[in-house]
Amino acid sequence: MRHAFPLLALALGLSICGLAFAEDTSAPLPVKHVQWSFEGPFGTYDRGALQRGFQVYKEVCSACHSLNLVAFHALAAPGGPGFTEAQAKAIAAGYKIPAEPNDKGEIFDANGNRLTRPGILADHFPPPFPNEEAARAANGGALPPDLSLIVKAREGGPDYVYSILTGFSHKPPTGFKVQDGKYYNPYFAGRNISMPPPLAAGSVSFADGTRSSVAQEAHDVVTYLSWASEPTLEERHRTGFEVMAFLVLLAGLLFLAYRKVWKDEH
Amino acid sequence: MAGHSTYVPAFGFTRWLDKRLPILRLTHDTMTTYPTPRNLNIWYTFGGILTFCLGVQIVTGVVLAMHYVPNADLAFNSVENIMRDVNYGWLIRYMHANGASMFFLAVYIHMFRGLYYGSYKEPREVLWILGVLIYLLMMATAFFGYVLPWGQMSFWGATVITSLFSALDQLIPHLGSAITSWLWGGFAVGDATLNRFFSLHYLLPFAIAGVVGLHIWALHVPGNNNPLGIDVKGPQDTVPFHPYYTVKDAFYLSLFVILFAGFVFFAPNFFGNPDNYTPANPLVTPTDIVPEWYLLPFYAMLRSVPQKLIGVLVLVGALVTLFFVPWLDTSKVRSCRFRPLMKQLFWVLALDCVMLGYVGSQGADAALNLGGMQLPLVWLARLGTAYYYGFFWVLLPLIGRIEKTKALPESIAKSVLGATGERT
Amino acid sequence: MATATKPEPTRRDFLYIATGAVGAVGAAFAAWPFIDQMNPTSAVLAMASIEADISSVQLGQQVVFKWRGHPLFVRRRTPKEIAEARAVSLSDLPDPVARNANLPDNAPATDANRGSKAEWLVLVGVCTHLGCTPTVSTPQAPQGDYGGWLCHCHGSQYDTAGRIRKGPAPQNLAVPPYSFLSDTKIKVG
């Protein structure tokens, strides 16, 4: 009787580990696990992957997905893709930013097009669509999410985004009905995703000459998006290491002081 | 023990100050010479740790408030501005978010310590009640705080919890809806709600600080309890707080800070929910609305009952129950060290809370696979809630009367130093 | 009863001093982020430098840009205004120092020292008295007696080189760090 309660609790606890998914072909597959240079307490971003990933974002993803929270000056900041300030400035200048009203108070030109100006370092990446409605209209009613935080905003983080990007190669199982206007991706909840497969081998020719397979493009753009979600990761790991070393030293000293004070008591 | 002050100001300035505002005397009496039982263990360091946590939350919070914008259109991006552009903003934000989790980790250990050693028993009933009040203020503060980033979980968590009040419609028509629209400042959670939650989130920690002052005062009147649960009999049972417990508290605090730093620097999103990195959308509900981990046991209790109003009463009742603990326990013996039956029931309660927390984290329809049979988790929640209530309302009164307690030691000093007075 | 053995006080004290010192150093390092967070953010610093397109500024006209939260006067001077500025002797100036961030601090306030090109005057449009924005003087609407600017708050008057001539302002209008990227574009800051 004495041990009944604890044993019951223990049994319940152990059986919780037996929790199993129901057999359900619309439940997503568990994500693929990939080695990332930035995982673990000493992780850093692979500079080459960041720059290639930026290229993938720019040439493929930015057609539909905004990156609203990332400023051009971040491209030159430490812990990031490592462009020089001049390079970041040139990248910024290549973008058209909706211009402030001109002296006549106009923001459209004679043809009804939005007036633009070249980007500067202080600008953020401009969105491909002016508002949510336009984005949906251009994408069959679906809203391509902003990618600034996508890696932190999804369970599974970079593994999840990588699995989605490389998951289009799976064919649906027999009997599985893919909804109209959607695509089969087994890593997506419900397995029907509105995004068409964005990556193909060779769709980006990397400036550094790396072979652009789908896996490579996915790996690099996920690295880039991980940086976009968490640009201070390297500084955080570095500071963390220093703080931990200090705290261990301090704890050690405090322990010795504690023992010294209590030596003759107790 | 509230005794005669031995403070003697040594300098001209300190003599002058002592006659006008005896703050140095107060520090001396409460933190230097204060006689503290000599047998306090690691579980007694969490009061100091909690004070540290409150300080960290206030300092990081005030600094975050210099950059945060409490407006529904700007809040999410203002937090990202903190994370990306404010110097060390990422550090301060992660300290504040993880600090909240550490605060609750410490408070649960602190509360369970109180239950185990009978620190709520006569004459420390008011101390316990003040503690429960602090806990409730902490829960309110954390709830308001979690809304502020205005992510999906912020918004929908606020919606679910504030909507609980609409259950009152079943008691008095329209009362619940009147209360919820009063809380919201509108027809749903929105900008008005966010602004007032920010104001309250800034305010409540100072209320907590005030109640903490009363809590420490209420502690110092009877003096600390100790692991043996027996009263201090004389100076041989105590040591001065400084240097014995200042150094001990500092050491264990440093270990706690190592754990804290581990999360802040290497797993800053461990306690968080990814959905809160998606901006709030009133038109799209996340698949699973989950509060932060420290509220999960109560969330499980709330969902254990299908009827909304009863669920709310079960949740509220679980918290109100805590106020009555000093009177529910009938045992003459304080510490579970000498209460073999209560000790086991205590551990079952601890496991029960962990189990309820797990159930709270899962979806409402989740089930356990027990060798082919499906057991909906809600039945575990019901079992867990029943045990929780049973522990406080049935077992505490009953066990105190029927339990065969072990023999108590003669005194703290004898217990620590051995019957002959030699060190063991 | 505790029988206290007495270790050497110096050894014990050293440990406590060392621990306290390490703790204090840690506290100082921990305090720095809380102080530094109030410094300008990288978003603000990204706007510390602007490139202004001056192609639309007509002769005799001033265009106001925004730079570091302040108005920036870019004035295209007529030959008459330039000649007037050059005719002033330094001894007539209440403030004989150039106040030009592109030159040493003690450079005199000659007209040549107030800008790199005589035709273009680039000034921080903040009155050096108490911070109001002075009004530019034009032939159609003269402001003050010196053809430059008049500050309506307390009556300070600046000449066609932006130097204080009359009124309570103690210093000439400041010339910010700037350079010509081309004939039509200047970089300020």
Side-chain angles (χ1 to χ4, degrees):
Chain A
M1 183 58 200
R2 281 183 65 206
H3 299 285
F5 279 123
L7 279 175
L8 179 61
L10 190 62
L12 277 173
L14 285 174
S15 60
I16 278 164
C17 304
L19 184 65
F21 289 108
E23 283 296 20
D24 177 2
T25 49
S26 75
L29 287 179
V31 298
K32 302 178 200 176
H33 285 292
V34 181
Q35 278 289 98
W36 301 103
S37 66
F38 49 88
E39 64 185 41
F42 304 110
T44 55
Y45 291 119
D46 177 331
R47 291 271 111 45
L50 285 180
Q51 295 201 4
R52 291 191 300 272
F54 166 65
Q55 205 181 335
V56 175
Y57 168 75
K58 184 165 196 273
E59 296 178 18
V60 179
C61 321
S62 61
C64 302
H65 290 278
S66 54
L67 200 68
N68 292 331
L69 299 173
V70 181
F72 293 114
H73 65 77
L75 293 172
F83 291 111
T84 63
E85 197 179 295
Q87 287 170 323
K89 229 184 198 174
I91 291 168
Y95 282 84
K96 294 193 178 57
I97 308 296
E100 292 78 31
N102 62 18
D103 290 333
K104 300 197 200 70
E106 296 159 344
I107 53 175
F108 295 102
D109 67 15
N111 298 323
N113 298 318
R114 187 72 172 78
L115 287 172
T116 61
R117 58 162 177 81
I120 58 174
L121 286 175
D123 288 322
H124 289 217
F125 279 87
F129 305 105
N131 49 57
E132 181 180 328
E133 287 75 11
R136 285 189 186 276
N139 289 285
L143 178 65
D146 181 271
L147 296 181
S148 314
L149 286 167
I150 197 78
V151 169
K152 287 203 290 197
R154 296 292 182 268
E155 196 69 57
D159 287 338
Y160 173 80
V161 181
Y162 179 84
S163 300
I164 293 284
L165 290 174
T166 54
F168 287 97
S169 55
H170 291 246
K171 294 287 158 278
T174 42
F176 187 92
K177 176 80 173 69
V178 178
Q179 292 169 19
D180 280 339
K182 295 206 197 275
Y183 304 83
Y184 182 76
N185 192 311
Y187 297 97
F188 190 72
R191 303 205 181 189
N192 281 287
I193 194 170
S194 302
M195 172 172 73
L199 303 175
S203 39
V204 177
S205 54
F206 288 123
D208 67 359
T210 308
R211 191 176 77 86
S212 55
S213 62
V214 169
Q216 181 72 47
E217 291 167 357
H219 169 270
D220 292 340
V221 79
V222 170
T223 303
Y224 175 74
L225 292 176
S226 299
W227 167 79
S229 292
E230 187 87 350
T232 55
L233 175 138
E234 292 192 353
E235 190 188 352
R236 171 160 63 78
H237 283 171
R238 205 174 42 241
T239 312
F241 178 70
E242 294 164 4
V243 167
M244 282 304 212
F246 167 80
L247 284 175
V248 167
L249 168 68
L250 180 64
L253 286 173
L254 281 169
F255 179 68
L256 293 173
Y258 161 53
R259 298 287 283 201
K260 204 106 199 168
V261 166
W262 280 85
K263 193 154 90 90
D264 302 312
E265 301 300 326
H266 221 105
Chain B
M1 202 67 64
H4 164 70
S5 170
T6 59
Y7 175 64
V8 175
F11 304 103
F13 170 69
T14 51
R15 274 194 294 276
W16 179 89
L17 187 63
D18 190 50
K19 285 204 189 70
R20 288 154 178 75
L21 183 73
I23 192 163
L24 293 175
R25 178 177 298 272
L26 180 72
T27 312
H28 182 267
D29 294 342
T30 58
M31 286 181 60
T32 311
T33 57
Y34 177 72
T36 318
R38 69 195 316 144
N39 61 333
L40 300 187
N41 59 24
I42 179 181
W43 307 113
Y44 284 78
T45 60
F46 280 86
I49 286 171
L50 284 165
T51 311
F52 171 79
C53 287
L54 181 62
V56 166
Q57 291 305 96
I58 289 178
V59 170
T60 54
V62 166
V63 159
L64 287 172
M66 292 183 179
H67 305 275
Y68 172 73
V69 181
N71 173 287
D73 296 327
L74 303 172
F76 188 89
N77 285 2
S78 76
V79 173
E80 282 302 309
N81 172 51
I82 289 168
M83 295 295 289
R84 292 161 192 271
D85 289 323
V86 172
N87 299 326
Y88 295 103
W90 57 269
L91 174 61
I92 298 169
R93 194 274 176 107
Y94 278 148
M95 281 177 73
H96 197 74
N98 286 285
S101 281
M102 298 302 291
F103 204 171
F104 277 93
L105 177 67
V107 90
Y108 284 135
I109 292 173
H110 186 72
M111 290 165 77
F112 273 91
R113 180 279 310 260
L115 286 175
Y116 189 86
Y117 292 118
S119 310
Y120 52 84
K121 293 173 79 61
E122 187 266 335
R124 297 181 181 88
E125 302 95 324
V126 172
L127 172 66
W128 172 263
I129 285 172
L130 289 169
V132 176
L133 185 56
I134 292 171
Y135 177 57
L136 293 182
L137 287 171
M138 279 176 64
M139 288 172 83
T141 307
F143 167 68
F144 293 139
Y146 193 66
V147 177
L148 302 184
W150 211 240
Q152 274 288 67
M153 273 312 157
S154 306
F155 180 90
W156 289 99
T159 300
V160 166
I161 298 304
T162 48
S163 296
L164 292 180
F165 287 91
S166 63
L168 290 170
D169 278 343
Q170 285 161 41
L171 282 179
I172 300 170
H174 304 303
L175 174 64
S177 330
I179 291 181
T180 48
S181 64
W182 174 76
L183 287 173
W184 292 333
F187 302 106
V189 169
D191 185 54
T193 325
L194 178 61
N195 269 269
R196 62 193 57 180
F197 279 11
F198 177 62
S199 172
L200 294 175
H201 184 70
Y202 205 122
L203 172 69
L204 285 186
F206 298 100
I208 291 175
V211 181
V212 166
L214 295 178
H215 188 67
I216 296 174
W217 184 6
L219 170 70
H220 282 197
V221 170
N224 296 52
N225 190 17
N226 67 84
L228 299 175
I230 57 180
D231 288 338
V232 162
K233 306 252 172 7
Q236 70 282 7
D237 287 340
T238 65
V239 288
F241 190 79
H242 178 71
Y244 291 94
Y245 287 107
T246 44
V247 76
K248 185 167 186 164
D249 281 355
F251 169 61
Y252 283 104
L253 176 63
S254 72
L255 296 184
F256 183 83
V257 171
I258 286 174
L259 181 66
F260 182 30
F263 285 114
V264 166
F265 290 102
F266 300 111
N269 293 297
F270 175 81
F271 292 111
N273 189 307
D275 271 326
N276 227 30
Y277 277 109
T278 300
N281 186 342
L283 305 176
V284 174
T285 313
T287 34
D288 279 312
I289 301 174
V290 197
E292 285 285 89
W293 69 269
Y294 37 81
L295 301 179
L296 289 174
F298 298 101
Y299 196 58
M301 290 188 200
L302 173 73
R303 291 189 312 181
S304 66
V305 181
Q307 226 273 11
K308 188 172 177 182
L309 178 61
I310 312 290
V312 173
L313 292 175
V314 166
L315 166 65
V316 172
L319 292 166
V320 167
T321 294
L322 293 173
F323 284 108
F324 292 97
V325 167
W327 295 275
L328 290 170
D329 183 9
T330 55
S331 175
K332 298 281 183 287
V333 172
R334 286 198 187 109
S335 169
C336 278
R337 277 218 194 148
F338 304 101
R339 302 184 60 187
L341 183 51
M342 183 50 59
K343 179 194 274 196
Q344 302 196 61
L345 298 173
F346 166 88
W347 285 113
V348 176
L349 178 71
L351 280 172
D352 183 41
C353 291
V354 171
M355 186 266 281
L356 281 169
Y358 168 75
V359 171
S361 73
Q362 300 301 300
D365 303 321
L368 267 191
N369 198 335
L370 290 176
M373 211 179 67
Q374 294 287 100
L375 174 66
L377 288 182
V378 70
W379 283 103
L380 280 182
R382 287 171 186 161
L383 178 68
T385 308
Y387 183 79
Y388 180 97
Y389 271 92
F391 176 88
F392 289 107
W393 291 99
V394 175
L395 295 176
L396 275 187
L398 184 64
I399 301 299
R401 281 186 240 277
I402 66 171
E403 184 176 34
K404 178 130 177 35
T405 58
K406 292 190 185 163
L408 295 173
E410 258 185 64
S411 74
I412 294 171
K414 289 258 160 56
S415 162
V416 164
L417 301 170
T420 58
E422 296 293 327
R423 239 184 327 162
T424 44
Chain C
M1 218 31 117
T3 49
T5 53
K6 279 228 181 307
E8 300 95 65
T10 47
R11 276 261 304 279
R12 176 185 275 192
D13 287 343
F14 174 72
L15 176 61
Y16 299 152
I17 291 169
T19 308
V22 169
V25 164
F29 274 99
W32 172 245
F34 293 92
I35 296 169
D36 194 31
Q37 55 84 22
M38 281 172 68
N39 275 324
T41 68
S42 56
V44 167
L45 292 175
M47 287 305 294
S49 175
I50 64 166
E51 289 178 11
D53 180 352
I54 56 175
S55 57
S56 62
V57 188
Q58 306 294 321
L59 203 57
Q61 200 195 32
Q62 169 184 279
V63 166
V64 181
F65 295 91
K66 194 160 156 206
W67 178 69
R68 295 191 182 177
H70 292 304
L72 183 82
F73 294 160
V74 176
R75 184 160 173 182
R76 193 168 169 195
R77 299 193 293 178
T78 60
K80 181 164 173 293
E81 290 168 343
I82 297 170
E84 273 173 16
R86 287 186 177 160
V88 179
S89 69
L90 279 179
S91 50
D92 288 339
L93 293 176
D95 178 17
V97 177
R99 309 286 169 203
N100 186 330
N102 303 286
L103 297 175
D105 287 347
N106 56 3
T110 60
D111 182 70
N113 282 348
R114 296 287 290 164
S116 55
K117 291 190 186 180
E119 197 185 345
W120 292 98
L121 207 52
V122 179
L123 301 172
V124 180
V126 175
C127 182
T128 57
H129 178 228
L130 291 173
C132 296
T133 306
T135 311
V136 66
S137 177
T138 58
Q140 300 82 20
Q143 303 282 331
D145 304 330
Y146 299 91
W149 287 265
L150 168 67
C151 185
H152 286 278
C153 286
H154 308 100
S156 296
Q157 298 185 26
Y158 300 86
D159 66 15
T160 52
R163 299 170 297 198
I164 185 68
R165 299 295 291 276
K166 194 190 211 178
Q171 290 184 4
N172 303 324
L173 291 177
V175 179
Y178 78 97
S179 56
F180 278 88
L181 296 174
S182 71
D183 283 341
T184 54
K185 207 179 242 181
I186 54 171
K187 175 180 153 153
V188 185

